[in-house]
Amino acid sequence: AQTVTQSQPEMSVQEAETVTLSCTYDTSENNYYLFWYKQPPSRQMILVIRQEAYKQQNATENRFSVNFQKAAKSFSLKISDSQLGDTAMYFCAFTRSNAGGTSYGKLTFGQGTILTVHP
Amino acid sequence: EAGVAQSPRYKIIEKRQSVAFWCNPISGHATLYWYQQILGQGPKLLIQFQNNGVVDDSQLPKDRFSAERLKGVDSTLKIQPAKLEDSAVYLCASSPPRTGNRYGYTFGSGTRLTVV
């Protein structure tokens, strides 16, 4: 069974600064995807970034980037130039895929990290 | 594209009553998931459908929870009878047949259930 662990229940950062959220996972699978989701009070899960396990290059999406360490089973999210709108709960999530990486399975989520961006 | 639709948005019931939630996934998404998210925790999978067949319901409390996906499109999740510990947000999500879509999973806004 897969497990995802987020060890930081809460984090805070000043506007325009950089913050890193931690995530570790445990799996025996070779083919999988990792995600970071943002959940504001509206409850809508919003995809922040996705990483394919077979790719060595770390994913980036504008101000968001990850540090994917496959051997260490670590997947941290870095938010640069933090904005007030980044305030939300952030979830790290894992899914295994098939050998070709072409289909998804169920998502397993971590416990979440509440991020507060202060003006 | 239209999002995943869920209703109702909020529901308050007394314990031992029954309740049903509805979900309409993204058109063309073969896989549908129901998650339970207790306040302050990450979502936990209750059941996964592939078209109208169940792929995984290992964490569904089958003595009180049931779910169906008619014709491989809409889905309903029912709780009967409800317990206080069922108070949570129930999220529905769907995913496309292949991973080429960079967004992967699409989530609805959820139903917040309060059992009193």
Side-chain angles (χ1 to χ4, degrees):
Chain A
Q2 288 72 232
T3 60
V4 178
T5 302
Q6 295 178 247
S7 58
Q8 305 155 314
E10 295 185 43
M11 294 282 284
S12 63
V13 64
Q14 292 296 125
E15 196 174 8
E17 294 188 345
T18 296
V19 65
T20 299
L21 307 185
S22 301
C23 172
T24 59
Y25 60 96
D26 188 27
T27 184
S28 58
E29 302 284 344
N30 283 322
N31 304 295
Y32 55 89
Y33 289 86
L34 294 162
F35 303 82
W36 278 98
Y37 282 93
K38 169 185 176 182
Q39 188 180 42
S42 67
R43 305 198 300 261
Q44 185 82 44
M45 280 286 187
I46 301 165
L47 176 66
V48 175
I49 201 163
R50 180 184 81 166
Q51 175 77 44
E52 295 93 328
Y54 64 87
K55 288 187 177 180
Q56 292 186 335
Q57 185 174 8
N58 289 324
T60 61
E61 287 284 347
N62 301 314
R63 299 183 295 108
F64 301 89
S65 61
V66 298
N67 184 0
F68 174 47
Q69 301 291 325
K70 190 172 184 179
K73 296 181 181 174
S74 170
F75 183 61
S76 61
L77 174 70
K78 184 172 82 172
I79 305 174
S80 304
D81 186 25
S82 296
Q83 300 176 359
L84 297 178
D86 295 334
T87 294
M89 176 81 100
Y90 285 80
F91 290 99
C92 178
F94 168 102
T95 186
R96 65 177 186 177
S97 62
N98 63 355
T102 57
S103 67
Y104 291 118
K106 67 180 182 182
L107 279 169
T108 299
F109 287 87
Q111 306 92 316
T113 297
I114 300 172
L115 175 67
T116 303
V117 181
H118 298 285
Chain B
E1 61 182 3
V4 174
Q6 284 191 250
S7 66
R9 186 130 171 90
Y10 302 92
K11 190 74 176 179
I12 301 174
I13 61 172
E14 295 183 350
K15 59 183 179 183
R16 292 188 289 274
Q17 285 187 328
S18 63
V19 64
F21 313 124
W22 174 81
C23 173
N24 183 262
I26 299 286
S27 176
H29 280 196
T31 309
L32 184 146
Y33 314 82
W34 282 102
Y35 288 88
Q36 180 192 57
Q37 185 178 15
I38 293 172
L39 184 64
Q41 299 182 17
K44 181 187 79 172
L45 181 74
L46 290 175
I47 190 166
Q48 176 185 348
F49 290 96
Q50 181 77 18
N51 296 310
N52 59 354
V54 175
V55 174
D56 185 346
D57 64 356
S58 58
Q59 298 196 74
L60 186 74
K62 299 180 185 64
D63 58 334
R64 298 184 300 106
F65 286 65
S66 64
E68 61 181 4
R69 189 181 184 194
L70 299 175
K71 300 180 182 178
V73 182
D74 292 12
S75 177
T76 56
L77 176 69
K78 297 179 181 178
I79 307 175
Q80 181 179 14
K83 293 185 175 181
L84 296 177
E85 58 260 38
D86 298 332
S87 294
V89 172
Y90 291 84
L91 292 168
C92 179
S94 65
S95 62
R98 300 180 69 81
T99 57
N101 183 322
R102 65 177 290 274
Y103 294 101
Y105 306 84
T106 303
F107 286 82
S109 296
T111 297
R112 181 180 295 280
L113 174 67
T114 303
V115 182
V116 298

